[in-house]
Amino acid sequence: MRTNFRSWMLALPLTVVLALFLLLPMVMIFVVSFWGATEFSIYPAFQFDNYSYLFGSSVVWSVFASTLMYTIVTWVVTLVVGFTVAYFLAFHIRDTTTQMGLFLLCTIPFWTSNIIRMISWVPFLGRNGLANQALMGMGITDEPLEWLLFSDFSVILAFVHLYTLFMVVPIFNTMVRIDRSLIEAARDNGASGFQILTNVIIPLTKPGIMIGSIFVVALVMGDFITVRFMSGSQSANVGRLISNDIGLLQYPSAAATSVVLLVTVMIVISIMLRFVNIRKEL
């Protein structure tokens, strides 16, 4: 009995912090999502006008579709790049010091803010930027490519640049813990490199892949500043929709959109978790 009481007391501070700074704000957002608003005021009420507008607007559906498109494409690209980088570091770099040095090298972009990293793409991808100048210099194109900047391509490129490391870290952490004797046993039994990859390495790396995927999906679906900067305000996602409502002081509408976005993210993550039991695997 004393042990249980001590355990509860140890967990109490964290429980209070989570309740005050996580659960309570989420409950408040949920409550405010049912309130009403005019051009000049917000009034407490219990109505479904905000949700009716969300689910009845073709514009909102289009924004959610764009958000889902950004998320899927970014997830696929970051998974391929992240898995490749992690595989190279874990299995092709034998020296631990070199391995850690190259791994830390991947974190250099995080030494600056996201906004600075996004802005750095503008002079590179612009009409008179380095990319267009190089393409025209090599004779690949006769005129600057307009779609390199302020387009869906630039948005996804920025997402990949910003969030690939969130895929590399958990996959690399899982790969370095794989027992090398399993790989040697598979090779001794005549397995090819591709068979070892698909039947040994990838199944054992599933927890890392899933953790990285959760990070990337949650970050991309909640991001709004990247879409605003890299699309030149020509595209939108759900995060930007919420930001615009807040800027217009339409807090009930922003709260309703936040609730729908949160539920969507939770559904996506719950579907992903059905493919692997992270707690059991780790």
Side-chain angles (χ1 to χ4, degrees):
M1 186 70 179
R2 182 177 300 177
T3 303
N4 292 335
F5 177 76
R6 185 179 301 173
S7 301
W8 280 105
M9 292 304 296
L10 290 174
L12 182 61
L14 180 60
T15 303
V16 172
V17 170
L18 291 176
L20 290 177
F21 298 102
L22 179 63
L23 295 180
L24 183 59
M26 291 177 64
V27 171
M28 293 177 63
I29 290 174
F30 180 74
V31 172
V32 172
S33 68
F34 293 99
W35 289 9
T38 65
E39 295 180 359
F40 309 102
S41 64
I42 298 173
Y43 55 91
F46 184 78
Q47 57 189 22
F48 294 92
D49 293 356
N50 298 315
Y51 291 99
S52 299
Y53 170 75
L54 283 176
F55 293 110
S57 173
S58 59
V59 175
V60 175
W61 282 104
S62 176
V63 171
F64 269 90
S66 298
T67 304
L68 189 61
M69 183 271 293
Y70 289 142
T71 303
I72 293 175
V73 176
T74 303
W75 172 71
V76 171
V77 177
T78 54
L79 177 59
V80 173
V81 175
F83 187 91
T84 303
V85 172
Y87 182 87
F88 175 78
L89 293 176
F91 295 104
H92 289 275
I93 304 299
R94 302 297 182 182
D95 182 60
T96 304
T97 303
T98 305
Q99 191 180 68
M100 289 298 103
L102 292 175
F103 179 75
L104 292 175
L105 187 64
C106 296
T107 66
I108 288 180
F110 279 74
W111 296 1
T112 59
S113 69
N114 286 4
I115 296 177
I116 293 176
R117 281 184 283 164
M118 281 186 288
I119 293 176
S120 65
W121 283 108
V122 175
F124 182 80
L125 299 175
R127 181 179 178 83
N128 298 316
L130 296 176
N132 272 317
Q133 293 297 324
L135 292 174
M136 289 188 294
M138 292 184 292
I140 297 177
T141 179
D142 296 329
E143 57 184 15
L145 300 177
E146 301 289 347
W147 54 266
L148 289 181
L149 185 62
F150 301 144
S151 62
D152 289 339
F153 170 80
S154 60
V155 172
I156 294 173
L157 180 64
F159 276 142
V160 172
H161 178 208
L162 294 175
Y163 300 133
T164 295
L165 190 62
F166 289 95
M167 190 71 78
V168 173
V169 172
I171 295 178
F172 173 76
N173 182 57
T174 308
M175 281 185 175
V176 295
R177 294 161 52 188
I178 295 177
D179 189 353
R180 296 303 189 269
S181 62
L182 296 176
I183 299 176
E184 293 297 330
R187 185 175 291 112
D188 292 341
N189 282 278
S192 63
F194 181 77
Q195 290 175 324
I196 293 174
L197 176 66
T198 55
N199 296 316
V200 179
I201 296 177
I202 291 180
L204 294 177
T205 314
K206 279 184 179 180
I209 294 175
M210 201 56 56
I211 293 173
S213 299
I214 291 173
F215 276 128
V216 171
V217 168
L219 289 170
V220 173
M221 294 194 75
D223 190 289
F224 71 95
I225 196 69
T226 303
V227 176
R228 178 183 176 183
F229 279 3
M230 299 307 297
S231 70
S233 297
Q234 299 181 48
S235 301
N237 65 343
V238 180
R240 191 178 172 198
L241 194 66
I242 297 171
S243 176
N244 290 341
D245 284 339
I246 293 175
L248 296 172
L249 303 181
Q250 297 295 313
Y251 296 115
S253 177
T257 309
S258 300
V259 171
V260 174
L261 177 61
L262 176 62
V263 172
T264 303
V265 173
M266 293 177 64
I267 291 174
V268 172
I269 292 177
S270 63
I271 293 174
M272 295 169 64
L273 290 177
R274 291 182 65 87
F275 292 96
V276 59
N277 188 335
I278 294 179
R279 181 178 298 180
K280 180 180 178 181
E281 294 292 340
L282 294 179

